[in-house]
Structure formats: C-alpha cells, structure tokens
Amino acid sequence: MRLEAPINWNIVGTVALLCAVSLTLFFVGRGRDRTRAEAVVTSASDSLPSDTYSDLDYFKEEAVQFEALLPLDKEIIVRLIDSVNHHIIYIEKDDMPSCYSYDLETLITSVLFAGEYGFYCGTKLLIPGKITDWKIVEGTIVFVAMNREPEAKYENATVVFSMDLHDHQLRYIDSGNRASFVGDNYISIVKAQLLSRNFFFGEDRYREFTVNYELSPQ
C-alpha cells in the first residue's frame, strides 16, 4: 500500500501570495501606463495652434500696437481692416495738417495730402489750415478745415473737401466762413456775399446765405 506525501501548506501559501502580488503589480502598472498615455494626448492637443486665429486678428493686433505709439499730435480717422484692406488713415492736428496712410502689412507710411504748401483737388489748389471737423459718409471722408488761401475773404474762412477711403482721390466741395454737418448725409456751408464797400471806414457790408450739399460720393 502506497502512502501519499503530506501537503506542505506553507509552500502553497507562499506560492499563492506571490501570484497575488504579481497580478496586483500587473494591473497597477497597466493603470499607470494608461493614465500617462492620456496625459500625453491632452498635452499634445493643448499645444496645437488655434484654428480661430486669422490674418485679421494679426492686423488688429498690429493696429493696436501702432496706435499706442502714435504721437498726441496725430488723430486716427479710420481703421480699414478686412479681407482686402489693412491700413490706418490718420491726420495731424496742427495748423498745417497732412494726412497719412499706414499699411499694416508692409509697415510703410504714405502721405495722402500735405497741408504745408497745399495740394490740388483736380485743378483747384487748396491750402487748408487746422482740420476742425470730419465725417465718414459712404466710403468717403469729408473734411472741414480752416482756409489758409491768400484770397480767403473771411477772418474764419473755411474750406470743405473730401477724400475717397480706397483710392484716396480728393474732391473740392466748397468754401465759406463756416460749415457744419447736418444729419447723416449733408453739410451746410455759410457763405457771405459782398453788398457794398465802405472806402472811408473800411467796414464792408455782407449778406450771409447758406448752401447745403449732399455728401453721397459722385
């Protein structure tokens, strides 16, 4: 008769414990690997450039930086930033003003008109002084300025002219002794008509009258 060897429970317990430890380390390791992989994916997605940033955003940022450095004697007229245009038009606020265009792409400044010696609107020579008012009407800037022409007959003579926003073409409107915008699309220019001259006391007699102009581009 064959006798069976007694079971060594100490060895069985040790083997079972080792197996349990191995399984625990295996699953913990897999969990750590999966967490690390997910962290890498998140980090990579966050580092990708945003698709919402466009050329327009870039030009708008450039415009803000340019305007922040603009001297106090300059005034912004308009910012043209779209799919075609990307420049800023601004003027000087002195008694012999000039007007400029700054291209946000090429970083080049162009002179649109110069006030020191005047400029031509067609065949009309204008010599404007300080620009006292302006308004944008349907793609055109209308300027009201003091008139420095030698033949200006009034103490506070005024000249009114316009400039196209896109091709920068200048157009003379009229002159008088004062002007003001009326509503959204008109300007009123007060003019004076000589009635008589007083050669003894030097006080001529004038009659004032008003001319209204529609400002729609021609």
Side-chain angles (χ1 to χ4, degrees):
M1 181 176 179
R2 183 180 178 182
L3 297 176
E4 293 183 357
I7 298 175
N8 191 332
W9 292 106
N10 291 332
I11 295 177
V12 172
T14 302
V15 172
L17 179 61
L18 291 175
C19 290
V21 171
S22 299
L23 289 173
T24 300
L25 294 176
F26 173 75
F27 286 112
V28 170
R30 290 193 61 183
R32 290 177 178 173
D33 291 341
R34 182 170 59 185
T35 302
R36 188 181 299 112
E38 290 173 353
V40 170
V41 170
T42 301
S43 176
S45 64
D46 290 342
S47 65
L48 292 176
S50 174
D51 293 336
T52 61
Y53 189 84
S54 64
D55 289 342
L56 294 183
D57 295 320
Y58 168 78
F59 290 130
K60 289 176 182 178
E61 290 181 359
E62 288 292 308
V64 171
Q65 295 178 13
F66 173 79
E67 292 170 19
L69 298 175
L70 200 63
L72 295 178
D73 63 340
K74 307 293 190 298
E75 181 178 6
I76 300 294
I77 295 293
V78 65
R79 305 161 186 83
L80 292 176
I81 302 176
D82 54 34
S83 59
V84 178
N85 305 285
H86 30 71
H87 56 274
I88 297 173
I89 294 177
Y90 63 98
I91 58 172
E92 294 172 330
K93 296 190 290 186
D94 58 23
D95 293 332
M96 293 183 290
S98 296
C99 182
Y100 306 92
S101 174
Y102 179 73
D103 193 306
L104 295 166
E105 181 177 7
T106 64
L107 309 183
I108 293 176
T109 300
S110 304
V111 179
L112 303 183
F113 63 77
E116 183 175 1
Y117 301 106
F119 51 88
Y120 279 93
C121 287
T123 59
K124 174 70 173 177
L125 175 63
L126 301 186
I127 309 178
K130 182 180 179 63
I131 295 175
T132 58
D133 203 357
W134 55 268
K135 188 174 185 177
I136 297 177
V137 181
E138 298 182 16
T140 300
I141 311 172
V142 180
F143 294 99
V144 178
M146 304 300 293
N147 194 351
R148 295 191 296 115
E149 294 179 9
E151 62 270 23
K153 301 176 182 178
Y154 321 112
E155 182 179 355
N156 295 318
T158 298
V159 61
V160 181
F161 61 98
S162 66
M163 183 182 70
D164 188 277
L165 279 175
H166 301 288
D167 62 17
H168 306 145
Q169 182 176 354
L170 296 166
R171 182 171 70 92
Y172 170 69
I173 296 178
D174 205 346
S175 57
N177 57 345
R178 60 183 182 274
S180 59
F181 292 104
V182 180
D184 295 330
N185 203 34
Y186 290 87
I187 190 167
S188 177
I189 300 176
V190 178
K191 302 169 73 70
Q193 179 184 18
L194 178 64
L195 297 179
S196 64
R197 292 189 178 278
N198 191 325
F199 295 100
F200 297 100
F201 300 100
E203 294 182 358
D204 300 332
R205 293 178 59 241
Y206 290 90
R207 176 183 71 89
E208 286 191 345
F209 63 97
T210 301
V211 180
N212 293 319
Y213 290 91
E214 186 176 4
L215 299 176
S216 297
Q218 297 181 354

